Amino acid sequence: MLRSVLEIAWPPVCEGCGDAYYSGDTPGLCDSCLEARLFPLTEPYCEVCGQSYRGKMPSHLQCSNCRNRYLEFDFAVGAYDAEGEIMDWIHRFKYAQEIHFARMFGKLMTRVWEDNRMAAQKEWIVVPVPLHRKRLRERGFNQSLEIAREWMRHSPPDQKMRIVNALKRDRYTTRQATLDRRERLTNLHDAFSLSRAGRRCPQDANFIIVDDVLTTGTTASECATVLREAFSPNKITVITVLRG
Ligand SMILES: [Zn+2]
Ligand SMILES: [Zn+2]
């Protein structure tokens, strides 16, 4: 009740248009900006990485990013295209400590439930992509963990999920965003391993790896490798707010 009283007195301001708004389900975004400023990923999309073909029906089910490559996860689902203003918001979230964006991104990522392959399983272990502890100290929070928490708050009630920080990042690597494609594909080799909490995960589980953006899929695939080698999982999926 306190929150609703406060919201009437000081309504939240939309990150898109800067206006105060009273309606809408997405924290930090009014309904018209949600419509106009974001680009949802729609079918048909690559069955591996979730890249949208934007209406053009492909002659094959794998995009140019995934063809001739083996990715260790079963499939990835993104919610929105990595273009437009949301790229600035992601940047402010990660590099300007604007942690409040986790609420918006977690809500936006609930679109992944529209993919039938997600709804086909009912029990998941949710694994945020870890930061190296040095990077975690610099940033103060792990963006993937924050998004995962918010996303879970809005997820279907018939889904049984728990977050386990099952992985750790052992090497302090160059940021993927600063590398070209060829460098990205090899930069993270052997960068991840199981954490102490991760060692207690059950065999045959379904895992969801959570990250903010999927570009080449290398980060997620390296994480999936560790889980696959340790647990022979039933499913490993990857969900992200954005597909780059
Ligand atoms: Zn707006
Ligand atoms: Zn693909």
Side-chain angles (χ1 to χ4, degrees):
M1 199 174 85
L2 178 64
R3 172 173 273 192
S4 35
V5 170
L6 287 172
E7 282 183 358
I8 291 165
W10 295 281
V13 170
C14 172
E15 295 290 343
C17 60
D19 288 348
Y21 66 95
Y22 295 92
S23 65
D25 295 330
T26 311
L29 211 53
C30 74
D31 281 344
S32 48
C33 286
L34 179 62
E35 277 287 306
R37 291 171 196 257
L38 297 184
F39 306 93
L41 291 165
T42 50
E43 288 188 278
Y45 38 59
C46 170
E47 64 177 14
V48 180
C49 74
Q51 176 76 288
S52 180
Y53 292 103
R54 290 185 185 267
K56 295 191 294 279
M57 201 54 201
S59 53
H60 46 78
L61 292 168
Q62 294 190 5
C63 72
S64 56
N65 174 54
C66 300
R67 235 176 305 144
N68 309 321
R69 244 181 111 197
Y70 186 71
L71 291 164
E72 285 284 349
F73 49 81
D74 290 289
F75 61 91
V77 192
Y80 291 86
D81 238 334
E83 61 171 297
E85 284 152 286
I86 196 163
M87 297 306 289
D88 297 335
W89 304 340
I90 285 274
H91 202 270
R92 281 164 54 193
F93 175 50
K94 284 162 72 170
Y95 306 115
Q97 277 70 44
E98 293 199 44
I99 194 169
H100 62 93
F101 275 109
R103 294 178 62 216
M104 182 202 290
F105 298 147
K107 180 63 172 59
L108 291 176
M109 204 167 64
T110 56
R111 282 200 77 238
V112 303
W113 290 113
E114 292 171 25
D115 190 306
N116 293 331
R117 295 172 299 178
M118 293 288 300
Q121 309 295 330
K122 297 295 176 213
E123 200 169 337
W124 299 95
I125 295 176
V126 178
V127 181
V129 169
L131 293 180
H132 188 270
R133 54 190 152 68
K134 190 170 156 212
R135 182 98 66 207
L136 184 62
R137 262 200 313 273
E138 286 162 9
R139 188 167 298 170
F141 62 94
N142 176 356
Q143 73 274 10
S144 303
L145 172 61
E146 299 304 322
I147 294 170
R149 277 193 186 128
E150 292 296 328
W151 171 76
M152 276 177 58
R153 293 185 334 121
H154 302 283
S155 288
D158 64 332
Q159 289 288 344
K160 213 173 140 199
M161 292 186 286
R162 63 190 168 104
I163 296 184
V164 178
N165 286 303
L167 301 173
K168 60 187 170 70
R169 200 164 188 139
D170 301 316
R171 282 197 296 123
Y172 189 79
T173 49
T174 314
R175 269 174 56 207
Q176 288 289 88
T178 63
L179 303 175
D180 68 22
R181 177 177 167 85
R182 202 165 46 92
E183 293 167 329
R184 281 178 188 220
L185 298 184
T186 55
N187 179 43
L188 292 172
H189 193 64
D190 286 336
F192 301 97
S193 65
L194 273 191
S195 68
R196 193 184 301 223
R199 280 183 236 131
R200 294 197 295 268
C201 288
Q203 296 287 322
D204 308 319
N206 301 309
F207 288 97
I208 295 178
I209 296 169
V210 180
D211 207 354
D212 52 346
V213 186
L214 186 135
T215 307
T216 60
T218 309
T219 306
S221 185
E222 290 293 330
C223 289
T225 303
V226 177
L227 298 174
R228 202 171 285 288
E229 283 173 359
F231 302 116
S232 50
N234 179 41
K235 277 273 178 282
I236 305 180
T237 78
V238 180
I239 62 169
T240 57
V241 184
L242 301 180
R243 176 67 178 85

